[in-house]
Amino acid sequence: MAKPTYHFVITLHYRQEGAMGSLTRTLDGVFEPQRGDTRETSFKRILTWATEQLHARDQAVLFFALERNDL
């Protein structure tokens, strides 16, 4: 049986290095949890990934959803 995957959506409000003001951006993707992951550790891993992708600092999470990817 295949390991389940999860679809996530995360919206961050943040500042970016070298940019004036703040930005809001939504990212989504498919997440495959590792053995022993919880909802909390999954959220933290996804937040770290999103922060790195956006080169964000001083970020605030406006929205987060994590649901099984299969229908």
Side-chain angles (χ1 to χ4, degrees):
M1 184 169 166
K3 189 172 183 180
T5 59
Y6 293 79
H7 177 251
F8 68 87
V9 178
I10 188 167
T11 301
L12 299 179
H13 185 76
Y14 62 98
R15 284 196 246 166
Q16 194 173 46
E17 292 291 333
M20 294 186 65
S22 59
L23 303 163
T24 301
R25 179 110 182 256
T26 300
L27 301 172
D28 77 311
V30 176
F31 177 76
E32 187 174 319
Q34 303 299 311
R35 183 181 174 134
D37 273 352
T38 64
R39 184 172 173 81
E40 178 186 12
T41 59
S42 297
F43 166 75
K44 289 179 179 179
R45 288 179 51 211
I46 292 167
L47 177 58
T48 297
W49 172 83
T51 300
E52 291 170 355
Q53 291 295 306
L54 300 172
H55 306 284
R57 60 185 177 92
D58 303 326
Q59 71 274 6
V61 178
L62 302 180
F63 179 81
F64 178 72
L66 179 66
E67 298 182 17
R68 292 233 3 195
N69 199 33
D70 61 337
L71 297 176

